[in-house]
Amino acid sequence: GDSVTQTEGQVTVSESKSLIINCTYSATSIGYPNLFWYVRYPGEGLQLLLKVITAGQKGSSRGFEATYNKEATSFHLQKASVQESDSAVYYCALSANQGGRALIFGTGTTVSVSP
Amino acid sequence: NSKVIQTPRYLVKGQGQKAKMRCIPEKGHPVVFWYQQNKNNEFKFLINFQNQEVLQQIDMTEKRFSAECPSNSPCSLEIQSSEAGDSALYLCASSRDNNQAPLFGEGTRLSVL
């Protein structure tokens, strides 16, 4: 079936250092999925960070970037220089490129940024 | 700042009791989703609607879970007879169309004792 894998459950990084959160997917029944990164900051609800619906394109938001790599079936999230306020849980997700289809989420990566 | 409103925030029920939670989607969003997120952070899609019609639902939803999205009223998800394994965060999301990422509410945390 279709799935999303985030290999790191927890990541600790120092402020101003770079961050990469890995995400790979399997979309055997979908073909060309839409890809998303959602984030949940402490005490807040789940919110969209960025999305990309076309293979090869890059999405960016709040200093984060992710490129839709169809060959590698990956959608890694990167930031060159993190801040303490980036401490949160990050979820990679996919959906079919079809109206009203449900998101399939990874299990999330908790990022802790130390000062 | 979420514009999908879920109530209540917390719900405590005994095993066998009914548990009902509500969701007001963002205005103008005809598509509504319900997800269950367990203590291991795993999301499970339950059901979604377009306007009042069910688009997709999983088998679990067909048995003990019921949901509806009546016009001019909040959407609701109800568990007819709660089990300990139903303890989770229930998330409602809505979207305007298939090109828009769903907007999530803050969730209802259900504890079944």
Side-chain angles (χ1 to χ4, degrees):
Chain A
D2 305 318
S3 64
V4 175
T5 301
Q6 293 179 245
T7 51
E8 304 103 348
Q10 286 197 313
V11 173
T12 300
V13 59
S14 299
E15 202 167 24
S16 79
K17 298 297 184 184
S18 63
L19 171 70
I20 297 179
I21 304 174
N22 293 313
C23 171
T24 57
Y25 66 88
S26 171
T28 53
S29 70
I30 296 174
Y32 289 87
N34 297 331
L35 299 176
F36 307 83
W37 278 99
Y38 278 82
V39 59
R40 180 182 280 142
Y41 296 103
E44 298 185 18
L46 196 63
Q47 55 186 280
L48 178 70
L49 180 60
L50 57 86
K51 74 169 186 177
V52 180
I53 63 173
T54 304
Q57 292 201 347
K58 180 167 65 178
S60 60
S61 173
R62 306 180 206 177
F64 287 90
E65 294 181 337
T67 300
Y68 187 154
N69 187 329
K70 188 176 187 303
E71 291 70 32
T73 61
S74 69
F75 192 53
H76 305 318
L77 184 68
Q78 305 182 63
K79 187 169 185 180
S81 176
V82 296
Q83 302 170 326
E84 254 190 286
S85 57
D86 293 323
S87 296
V89 185
Y90 293 82
Y91 295 93
C92 185
L94 66 81
S95 74
N97 186 11
Q98 187 177 357
R101 294 303 171 185
L103 289 166
I104 297 170
F105 284 90
T107 50
T109 299
T110 301
V111 173
S112 299
V113 179
S114 56
Chain B
N1 293 332
S2 177
K3 295 180 182 175
V4 174
I5 308 299
Q6 289 189 248
T7 56
R9 289 293 305 278
Y10 301 94
L11 190 56
V12 180
K13 293 292 178 182
Q15 294 195 47
Q17 290 187 319
K18 285 187 182 180
K20 187 169 185 175
M21 55 203 85
R22 292 176 174 81
C23 170
I24 301 175
E26 168 69 33
K27 191 174 181 180
H29 284 194
V31 183
V32 175
F33 304 82
W34 284 100
Y35 294 88
Q36 178 196 65
Q37 187 180 21
N38 66 20
K39 62 180 180 180
N40 296 321
N41 269 346
E42 295 162 333
F43 285 79
K44 180 182 288 184
F45 165 76
L46 298 176
I47 191 168
N48 63 346
F49 295 83
Q50 180 149 5
N51 297 311
Q52 292 80 54
E53 302 294 322
V54 175
L55 290 176
Q56 298 171 279
Q57 63 182 329
I58 65 167
D59 286 345
M60 181 178 78
T61 312
E62 293 173 8
K63 292 171 182 169
R64 293 187 301 111
F65 290 61
S66 62
E68 59 177 5
C69 270
S71 60
N72 301 317
S73 291
C75 298
S76 64
L77 175 68
E78 185 171 54
I79 306 172
Q80 302 303 321
S81 177
S82 301
E83 299 175 357
D86 297 329
S87 296
L89 180 67
Y90 289 83
L91 292 165
C92 177
S94 69
S95 66
R96 185 179 61 236
D97 55 44
N98 49 310
N99 287 322
Q100 186 190 44
L103 180 66
F104 282 81
E106 294 190 12
T108 292
R109 186 165 296 281
L110 172 65
S111 297
V112 181
L113 305 177

